[in-house]
């Protein structure tokens, strides 16, 4: 198959090149997530999941919130389609267009970062009800972490340029270096200053700047790949009449989408921090606040990051080319393939998270200041999150199809369903449930919101991709392949979860790691045994590939 890269050169790629690229990214993401587990464990060992951990979680999350709210979503979704179009439309392969877009976005990042650092106290106050020492410590964390906005943006900008040129590995492997740096910073704290009490300003600065250093290292790790891709970025300020208005219009809708997401996240953050303070005031053992919710979310999102993000990132340039050429049939095939292949891995992963949530949380976080009660709170949240993983990955695939079509308005409107339900149901959960179970209810609320949004988005995209002359036939064929595969996986999931949970409970006497291993093995065995009777083609293909690789290694 012949394609034109963002450099203007024509390359030939075999049909399985997308899967190979996806596998490369998945391996990088897997290592990144594994080191991320170590990072989270070290952070939990140092800070636990109490007020100090909540302050760090808020301070370290604020840069991502501000960056994503104002720029990040636009960069992630708009860049690849626009660069692919420029490569095909411009005589220089889109080089000048890339220079202008990079220059414009970098200038915005610098201004945004400076403003955020200045406004750190106001930003922290907007997301928490903290006062006194807790507020002061959280502001210190935020001031040290907010410079991450610039480097997060630069990492995304340069990474999307690499992705448009079909160089996917660096962006997935670079976060490993980030995790190593943060582990070193928290390890230094544990060795030299960790007392288990209230953090001093100096200790907060050590942890905050150490976390920012990780993002800097992650960004610098892209430089070798950029050199290999022969990117020669020359700042250009001749923006008028250069065609940048199109991506800016698309970015406007994405900024609105992110804004609505962040409104919902703001509600969740306020509710979770309030629940944590309420639980502490009631003398409830176990941190039942924002850090517990965040740690559960962190583990929950791992399969999505390894499988779905890797697969769709590899597909995005091809989807964008199909959309630019008006080939909706090819785009439809890619969407259906991505849904089926991602579900073949994500559904079993969701079963594992649901069946062995307690042991998984214990393996990841039961160190240092984190005790059994803390693990129980986080495990409850993870169990409630688990079903939503399937909808989360499905929604991600469908949204990228709209972005490939350069349509960011429709995803914004559809996302209102998810954001509104998440905020509303989370509020109800926090009001109705005891403080001990508030974050569990909030996690369940997000799962419900994701399923509703996935269903609505699937319906709208189904109609969008159907050719008028054969709408019903096309739509029925596309729906039957993707949705039938999902239904069959769901049938297999029921016995897998029940048996996995039962076996993990019996193996718990030998420790949490044994429980995780036993439960996971049973769940995977159930899916393997049911793959052929239920005609789970993608799952069979994946298992076959693994078995062939194991035989070759022998």
């Amino acid at each position: 198959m012949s394609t034109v890269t963002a450099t203007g050169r024509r390359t030939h790629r075999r049909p399985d090149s997308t899967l190979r690229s996806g596998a490369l990214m998945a391996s990088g993401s897997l290592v990144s997530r594994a080191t991320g587990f170590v990072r989270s464990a070290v952070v939990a060992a140092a800070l636990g999941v109490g007020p100090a951990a909540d302050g760090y979680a808020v301070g370290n999350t604020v840069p991502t919130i501000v960056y994503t709210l104002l720029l990040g979503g636009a960069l992630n979704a708009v860049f690849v389609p626009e660069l692919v179009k420029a490569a095909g439309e411009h005589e220089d392969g889109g080089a000048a267009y890339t220079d202008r877009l990079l220059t414009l976005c970098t200038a915005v990042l610098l201004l945004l970062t400076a403003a955020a650092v200045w406004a750190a106290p106001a930003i922290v106050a907007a997301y928490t009800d903290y006062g006194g020492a807790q507020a002061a410590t959280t502001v210190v964390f935020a001031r040290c972490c907010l410079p991450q906005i610039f480097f997060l943006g630069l990492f995304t900008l340069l990474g999307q340029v690499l992705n448009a040129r079909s160089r996917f590995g660096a962006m997935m492997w670079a976060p490993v270096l980030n995790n190593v740096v943060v582990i070193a910073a928290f390890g230094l704290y544990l060795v030299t200053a960790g007392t288990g009490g209230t953090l001093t300003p100096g200790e907060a600065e050590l942890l905050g700047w150490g976390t920012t250093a990780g993002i800097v290292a992650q960004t610098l790790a892209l430089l070798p790949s950029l050199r290999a891709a022969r990117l020669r970025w020359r700042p250009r300020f001749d923006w008028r009449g250069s065609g940048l208005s199109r991506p800016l219009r698309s970015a406007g809708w994405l900024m609105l989408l992110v804004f609505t997401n962040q409104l919902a996240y703001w509600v969740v953050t306020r509710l979770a921090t309030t629940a944590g303070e309420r639980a502490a005031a009631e003398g409830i053992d176990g941190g039942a606040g924002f850090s517990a919710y965040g740690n559960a979310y962190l583990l929950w999102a791992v399969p999505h990051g390894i499988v779905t993000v890797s697969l769709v990132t590899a597909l995005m340039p091809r989807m964008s080319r199909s959309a630019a050429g008006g080939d909706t049939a090819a785009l439809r095939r890619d969407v259906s393939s991505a849904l089926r292949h991602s579900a073949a891995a994500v559904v079993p992963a969701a079963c594992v998270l649901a069946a062995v949530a307690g042991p998984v949380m214990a393996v990841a976080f039961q160190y240092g200041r984190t005790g059994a009660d803390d693990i129980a709170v986080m495990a409850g949240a993870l169990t409630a999150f688990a079903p939503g993983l399937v909808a989360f990955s499905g929604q991600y695939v469908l949204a990228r199809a709209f972005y490939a079509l350069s349509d960011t308005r429709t995803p914004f409107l559809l996302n209102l369903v998810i954001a509104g339900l998440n905020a509303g149901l989370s509020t109800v959960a926090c009001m109705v449930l005891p403080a001990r179970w508030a974050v569990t209810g909030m996690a369940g609320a997000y799962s419900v919101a994701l399923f509703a949004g996935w269903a609505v988005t699937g319906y709208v995209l189904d109609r969008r991709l159907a050719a008028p002359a054969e709408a019903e036939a096309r739509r029925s064929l596309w729906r039957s392949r993707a949705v039938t595969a999902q239904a069959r996986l769901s049938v297999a999931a029921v016995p897998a979860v029940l048996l996995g949970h039962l076996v993990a409970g019996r193996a718990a006497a030998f420790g949490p790691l044994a429980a995780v291993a036993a439960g996971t093995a049973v769940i995977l065995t159930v899916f393997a045994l049911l793959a052929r009777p239920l005609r789970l083609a993608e799952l069979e293909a994946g298992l076959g590939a693994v078995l062939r690789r194991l035989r070759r290694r022998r």
Side-chain angles (χ1 to χ4, degrees):
M1 180 175 66
S2 178
T3 62
V4 179
T5 68
T7 59
R9 297 175 178 174
R10 185 167 294 275
T11 62
H12 297 274
R13 303 182 68 194
R14 292 186 294 183
D16 62 342
S17 61
T18 298
L19 292 178
R20 288 202 310 272
S21 297
L24 172 64
M25 287 185 286
S27 62
S29 184
L30 182 62
V31 176
S32 172
R33 300 290 178 165
T35 54
F37 288 158
V38 177
R39 166 180 171 160
S40 299
V42 172
V43 171
L47 302 178
V49 289
D54 281 358
Y56 172 76
V58 172
N60 187 40
T61 305
V62 161
T64 306
I65 293 171
V66 175
Y67 159 71
T68 304
L69 177 62
L70 298 179
L71 199 60
L75 297 185
N76 272 312
V78 172
F79 242 56
V80 171
E82 292 300 328
L83 292 175
V84 168
K85 286 181 180 179
E89 295 173 358
H90 299 178
E91 293 183 359
D92 63 351
Y97 184 87
T98 301
D99 288 342
R100 294 186 185 100
L101 199 53
L102 286 172
T103 304
L104 175 61
C105 292
T106 301
V108 173
L109 280 169
L110 283 170
L111 293 174
L112 175 61
T113 303
V117 171
W118 174 78
I123 294 172
V124 170
Y127 278 88
T128 70
D129 283 324
Y130 294 155
Q134 177 74 355
T137 301
T138 305
V139 169
V140 171
F141 277 132
R143 285 201 187 279
C144 295
C145 293
L146 280 166
Q148 294 175 25
I149 293 172
F150 175 77
F151 295 99
L152 280 169
L154 196 58
F155 174 77
T156 302
L157 283 167
L158 299 177
Q160 294 302 319
V161 171
L162 289 172
N163 287 346
R165 300 181 181 207
S166 297
R167 292 178 176 269
F168 305 106
M171 199 173 184
M172 290 296 183
W173 282 91
V176 175
L177 184 58
N178 177 7
N179 291 331
V180 170
V181 172
V182 175
I183 290 168
F186 274 82
L188 179 63
Y189 165 76
L190 284 169
V191 171
T192 62
T195 62
T198 302
L199 294 173
T200 67
E203 291 168 348
E205 288 178 357
L206 167 65
L207 300 180
W209 285 117
T211 304
T212 296
I215 298 294
V216 175
Q218 173 180 293
T219 304
L220 295 177
L222 296 182
L223 293 180
S225 291
L226 291 167
R227 284 197 296 269
R230 298 182 180 180
L231 175 67
R232 300 291 183 266
W233 177 18
R234 297 174 179 84
R236 298 188 61 151
F237 298 91
D238 52 337
W239 302 331
R240 186 181 298 274
S242 61
L244 292 179
S245 59
R246 184 173 62 188
L248 291 178
R249 283 195 302 269
S250 297
W253 285 110
L254 278 167
M255 289 172 68
L256 286 174
L257 183 151
V258 174
F259 179 70
T260 56
N261 275 342
Q262 291 306 318
L263 280 178
Y265 184 78
W266 173 79
V267 171
V268 169
T269 303
R270 297 278 294 194
L271 292 172
T273 53
T274 301
E277 292 183 323
R278 196 174 78 204
E282 294 174 7
I284 297 173
D285 292 330
F290 179 66
S291 58
Y293 183 95
N295 286 340
Y297 183 95
L298 177 70
L299 279 178
W300 171 75
V302 167
H304 169 77
I306 293 173
V307 178
T308 310
V309 173
S310 299
L311 180 61
V312 176
T313 301
L315 277 172
M316 196 65 184
R318 193 169 82 187
M319 292 167 65
S320 300
R321 284 189 289 270
S322 298
D327 190 353
T328 56
L331 178 58
R332 184 167 50 249
R333 287 193 297 271
D334 282 338
V335 171
S336 179
S337 175
L339 286 171
R340 289 180 281 112
H341 281 91
S342 63
V346 168
V347 172
C351 292
V352 171
L353 296 180
V356 295
V360 165
M361 279 298 180
V363 169
F365 295 109
Q366 195 166 338
Y367 308 100
R369 299 185 62 203
T370 307
D373 293 324
D374 302 313
I375 295 301
V377 174
M378 291 188 286
L382 181 60
T383 303
F385 270 132
L389 181 63
V390 180
F392 187 53
S393 289
Q395 173 72 15
Y396 184 89
V397 173
L398 300 181
R400 266 54 193 175
F402 282 110
Y403 298 154
L405 291 163
S406 296
D407 178 3
T408 54
R409 178 178 178 271
T410 302
F412 159 69
L413 296 174
L414 294 170
N415 190 69
L416 294 176
V417 175
I418 299 175
L421 281 175
N422 185 26
L425 293 176
S426 293
T427 302
V428 172
C430 197
M431 293 173 60
V432 172
L433 295 174
R436 166 68 174 73
W437 297 105
V439 292
T440 299
M442 292 163 62
Y446 189 42
S447 290
V448 172
L450 286 169
F451 274 104
W454 186 30
V456 175
T457 304
Y459 174 78
V460 174
L461 182 63
D462 194 14
R463 295 177 62 85
R464 174 73 175 272
L465 294 182
E470 46 185 346
E472 292 304 320
R474 291 275 190 179
R475 203 153 60 237
S476 297
L477 176 63
W478 179 73
R479 182 184 296 144
S480 65
R481 295 200 67 190
V483 177
T484 301
Q486 186 69 63
R488 290 171 177 166
L489 283 165
S490 299
V491 170
V494 175
V497 170
L498 294 176
L499 290 174
H501 181 71
L502 178 64
V503 171
R506 294 185 178 276
F510 301 97
L513 185 59
V516 172
T520 302
V522 169
I523 289 169
L524 295 180
T525 300
V526 171
F527 274 100
L529 292 175
L530 294 178
R532 182 161 295 178
L534 293 177
R535 300 196 302 276
L536 303 174
E538 289 74 25
L539 184 59
E540 275 195 282
L543 292 172
V546 172
L547 291 175
R548 286 193 298 272
R549 184 165 297 181
L550 291 175
R551 291 193 192 102
R552 284 199 299 268
R553 289 185 176 181
R554 289 179 182 176

